[in-house]
Amino acid sequence: MADDDDLVLAAQTGDRGSFGRLYERYARMVHGLLLARIPAHDVDDLTQDVFIKAMGRLSTLRTRSRFGAWLAAIARNAANDYHRRSLPEAPLEDGDEANHPADPHAAADLNDAARVLDIIRSLPEAYRETLILRLVEGMTGPEIAARTGMTAGSVRVNLHRGMEQLREKLRTQARKQPDGEA
């Protein structure tokens, strides 16, 4: 299996297959970074946009070993641009049945997932990113470090502190809910 440096070099010379393998390695990271910052319904499209932008700018990458950190910066900037140009979203009406699953358990699971994602998004950025990469994208600590350019120690600390803050916010929210709701 080729390492990232070899794939980046090949992609810089026009090998689209190598860029495709870089996409396979980094798509979850980009998706997670964007999910931490923008509405979930726009994440897939913006993930594609980030890779299209990266492909066009690949010749500007000077240090091939920093591809992951470079790509993460493009993703963060794309999220910032998204917010600069986005209009406020109108809330969905409760009567819009097309947006509600028929299975009440599936609806409850979606509501729980959305609630937890909202709580994660309220955390400091460093914790938010690492938690989403770990919990939503399923990346391991070493994968997060390798893909984002962070040190393994920083990832461990951010995951630990982020989980502590997430647990505390979930406990606080659970105490505020009346009995019978979860």
Side-chain angles (χ1 to χ4, degrees):
M1 184 157 92
D3 71 358
D4 286 354
D5 287 1
D6 295 337
L7 291 173
V8 170
L9 180 60
Q12 284 176 322
T13 62
D15 181 353
R16 288 186 178 253
S18 293
F19 191 80
R21 285 191 291 287
L22 288 167
Y23 175 88
E24 291 168 2
R25 288 184 184 179
Y26 287 92
R28 289 186 310 157
M29 178 200 70
V30 170
H31 189 271
L33 293 177
L34 294 173
L35 188 59
R37 293 176 160 73
I38 69 169
H41 61 83
D42 288 329
V43 170
D44 291 340
D45 288 342
L46 198 54
T47 296
Q48 296 302 315
D49 292 349
V50 165
F51 279 96
I52 290 168
K53 190 175 287 188
M55 189 166 62
R57 294 181 181 170
L58 201 52
S59 63
T60 66
L61 177 61
R62 289 184 281 228
T63 308
R64 288 188 298 273
S65 63
R66 300 284 299 154
F67 177 78
W70 177 78
L71 187 61
I74 292 173
R76 289 179 188 113
N77 288 335
N80 291 339
D81 291 345
Y82 172 92
H83 287 292
R84 275 190 215 104
R85 70 176 183 268
S86 292
L87 297 173
E89 293 183 15
L92 294 175
E93 297 297 322
D94 283 339
D96 188 358
E97 298 303 319
N99 292 312
H100 299 287
D103 178 3
H105 295 293
D109 288 347
L110 284 175
N111 287 338
D112 288 345
R115 183 174 54 86
V116 172
L117 185 58
D118 285 344
I119 292 171
I120 292 172
R121 285 180 171 156
S122 75
L123 299 176
E125 182 177 323
Y127 305 152
R128 181 174 64 223
E129 284 185 0
T130 52
L131 283 176
I132 286 181
L133 292 174
R134 178 72 185 105
L135 300 175
V136 177
E137 301 299 333
M139 296 173 71
T140 65
E143 276 182 300
I144 295 169
R147 299 289 187 257
T148 63
M150 296 172 66
T151 66
S154 292
V155 170
R156 275 192 306 274
V157 167
N158 289 349
L159 285 173
H160 177 75
R161 290 180 181 164
M163 284 301 294
E164 284 179 336
Q165 288 188 18
L166 177 59
R167 282 186 199 106
E168 183 54 36
K169 286 185 179 235
L170 288 170
R171 275 192 292 270
T172 300
Q173 191 176 66
R175 284 192 295 265
K176 290 179 181 177
Q177 290 182 344
D179 288 340
E181 287 185 38

